[in-house]
């Protein structure tokens, strides 16, 4: 019994010694990160990434690059620094007014649910004022890949972002390298002309700041975005007036986006004419023309993981979610 207690005590002491010896030096990372941020410098060793090449399932032909996706793995220590910088930049952006009030996603405390709840609330609010309400759903083409470092720097400079943080962001985005990992790959690093690196905690925030100016002011309506998803909602006495207004706002947004080098995936555009549950008028199929393409109104729109119907009934969303859950369970 005594021998057993001694062995247990020895194990406990050994375990405590291991914890003590393996404890990380809490001063190590601050001593590394502080001078890098102070001098606005991101080391080349932290700009290297591995790109894991994966097959996209269900493709009939794997001889084209479009049949593969690349998952970029960044340096862990660099991602810690990027996360700290993102927190600083987000705080500065809020205080300086660089973010649009209707931007959600990639921002603390604002999620996809907030965007959908805002959209639903505004639709009901306009309908309560006896307006016909329509919404255009847009998708930014390429997303993070369309951020121009020089134009982003200009936006942040004009916005009043601190010089040290701006210098670090410029260094962070410049001269990045990546090597592709797949069978037979040479495994050598090559320069890559990326806008914002995939997988970085900084990339979503930089993109959100970059497109903040694409939100028009709508007297009877609202423009909401969540990352690279942008919606434009208008209300008026007739759906015809809504369509004209949506076409006007799209042309304006498209022109502003072109100045930033940002384009939209036109084929992903969707239109919806909202109705109240008590509306007994005929369902309107009035379409909208965007870049010479005709888009009739949809009866179900999937936006940010939610299925929306013209009457905003939640049953469709829950039925679809249930069907997906059943399909996943069956596959397992």
């Amino acid at each position: 019994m005594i021998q057993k207690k001694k062995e247990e005590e020895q194990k406990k002491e050994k375990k405590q010694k291991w914890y003590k010896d393996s404890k990380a030096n809490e001063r190590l990372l601050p001593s590394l990160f502080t001078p890098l941020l102070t001098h606005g410098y991101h080391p080349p060793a932290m700009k290297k990434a591995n790109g894991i090449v994966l097959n996209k399932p269900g493709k009939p032909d794997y001889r084209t690059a479009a049949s593969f996706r690349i998952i970029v793995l960044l340096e862990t220590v660099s991602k810690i620094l990027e996360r700290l910088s993102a927190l600083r930049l987000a705080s500065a952006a809020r205080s300086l007014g660089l973010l649009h009030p209707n931007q959600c996603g990639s921002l603390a405390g604002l999620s996809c649910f907030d965007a959908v709840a805002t959209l639903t609330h505004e639709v009901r609010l306009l309908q309560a004022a006896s307006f016909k309400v329509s919404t255009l759903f847009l998708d930014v083409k390429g997303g993070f890949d369309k951020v121009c470092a020089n134009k982003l720097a200009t936006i942040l400079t004009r916005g009043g972002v601190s010089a040290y943080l701006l210098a670090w962001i410029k260094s962070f985005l410049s001269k990045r390298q990546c090597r592709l990992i797949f069978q037979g790959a040479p495994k050598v690093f090559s320069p890559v002309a990326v806008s914002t690196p995939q997988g970085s905690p900084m990339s979503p925030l930089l993109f959100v700041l970059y497109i903040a100016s694409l939100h028009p002011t709508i007297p009877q309506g609202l423009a909401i975005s969540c990352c690279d998803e942008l919606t434009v909602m208008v209300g008026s006495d007739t759906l015809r007036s809504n369509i004209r207004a949506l076409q006007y706002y799209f042309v304006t947004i498209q022109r502003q986006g072109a100045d930033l080098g940002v384009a939209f995936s036109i084929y992903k555009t969707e239109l919806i004419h909202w109705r109240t549950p008590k509306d007994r008028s005929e369902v309107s199929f009035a379409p909208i023309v965007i870049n010479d393409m005709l888009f009739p109104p949809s009866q179900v729109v999937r936006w940010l993981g939610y299925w929306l119907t013209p009457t905003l009934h939640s049953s469709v969303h829950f039925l679809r979610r249930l069907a997906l859950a059943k399909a996943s369970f069956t596959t397992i």
Side-chain angles (χ1 to χ4, degrees):
M1 190 70 176
I2 297 175
Q3 181 66 24
K4 188 175 181 180
K5 285 185 178 180
K6 285 184 178 180
E7 289 178 357
E8 289 178 355
E9 288 178 357
Q10 288 176 355
K11 287 181 179 180
K12 189 175 181 180
E13 290 176 359
K14 195 173 182 180
K15 193 173 183 180
Q16 290 175 345
K17 185 177 182 300
W18 183 85
Y19 277 127
K20 185 178 180 180
D21 293 340
S22 62
K23 185 178 180 181
N25 186 348
E26 59 186 18
R27 298 181 180 178
L28 179 62
L29 292 181
S31 65
L32 171 65
F33 294 158
T34 300
L36 292 179
L37 286 173
T38 302
H39 297 286
Y41 178 71
H42 198 65
M46 292 187 179
K47 299 180 185 180
K48 295 182 178 180
N50 290 325
I52 311 300
V53 181
L54 302 176
N55 298 346
K56 290 182 180 179
K59 292 291 182 179
D61 187 3
Y62 288 94
R63 289 177 293 181
T64 62
S67 300
F68 301 89
R69 66 165 54 92
I70 300 176
I71 306 299
V72 179
L73 305 180
L74 305 176
E75 293 289 342
T76 302
V77 175
S78 178
K79 292 184 73 172
I80 297 174
L81 175 58
E82 293 161 30
R83 178 60 178 166
L84 293 173
S85 301
L87 292 173
R88 291 191 181 189
L89 180 59
S91 177
R94 289 184 185 277
S95 61
L96 294 170
L98 297 180
L99 296 167
H100 194 276
N102 298 332
Q103 284 185 288
C104 300
S106 307
L107 300 170
L110 294 172
S111 64
C112 294
F113 173 79
D114 295 295
V116 175
T118 301
L119 177 69
T120 303
H121 173 76
E122 293 299 323
V123 169
R124 293 302 190 205
L125 201 63
L126 289 171
Q127 287 177 335
S130 301
F131 287 122
K132 299 290 186 180
V133 188
S134 304
T135 299
L136 194 65
F137 296 85
L138 305 172
D139 182 85
V140 177
K141 187 177 181 180
F144 300 168
D145 294 337
K146 300 301 181 181
V147 177
C148 174
N150 293 331
K151 292 179 180 179
L152 174 64
T154 301
I155 293 172
L156 298 180
T157 302
R158 290 175 179 174
V161 174
S162 301
Y164 83 91
L165 191 55
L166 182 60
W168 180 85
I169 292 172
K170 289 180 178 179
S171 177
F172 166 70
L173 295 176
S174 65
K175 299 180 180 179
R176 301 195 65 88
Q177 293 183 311
C178 183
R179 62 180 176 185
L180 298 181
I181 307 298
F182 59 91
Q183 187 175 4
K187 296 183 179 180
V188 295
F189 286 99
S190 301
V192 291
V194 297
S195 302
T196 53
Q198 181 194 121
S200 169
M202 282 292 293
S203 296
L205 178 59
L206 293 177
F207 176 75
V208 167
L209 290 169
Y210 191 67
I211 66 167
S213 62
L214 297 185
H215 295 70
T217 301
I218 305 174
Q220 294 173 349
L222 197 66
I224 310 171
S225 71
C226 186
C227 296
D228 58 352
E229 303 280 348
L230 177 64
T231 66
V232 182
M233 179 175 59
V234 297
S236 69
D237 295 330
T238 63
L239 293 179
R240 187 183 298 273
S241 298
N242 286 352
I243 291 173
R244 286 198 299 266
L246 289 174
Q247 288 175 326
Y248 167 77
Y249 286 119
F250 174 78
V251 171
T252 302
I253 294 171
Q254 188 178 47
R255 187 185 305 117
Q256 293 174 338
D259 294 336
L260 295 173
V262 172
F264 294 91
S265 298
I266 302 300
Y267 70 95
K268 292 183 179 180
T269 302
E270 292 189 89
L271 170 70
I272 193 167
H273 296 311
W274 306 102
R275 296 167 57 86
T276 63
K278 296 181 179 180
D279 192 347
R280 295 295 179 264
S281 61
E282 293 185 7
V283 176
S284 174
F285 295 98
I288 188 172
V289 178
I290 299 293
N291 287 6
D292 298 327
M293 294 180 63
L294 191 69
F295 293 91
S298 303
Q299 296 307 304
V300 179
V301 171
R302 187 180 183 183
W303 185 57
L304 306 179
Y306 291 83
W307 282 270
L308 306 174
T309 63
T311 55
L312 288 173
H313 279 158
S314 59
S315 58
V316 173
H317 169 73
F318 288 112
L319 287 173
R320 301 251 177 147
R321 294 293 297 178
L322 183 60
L324 287 176
K326 288 182 177 179
S328 300
F329 181 78
T330 304
T331 304
I332 294 174

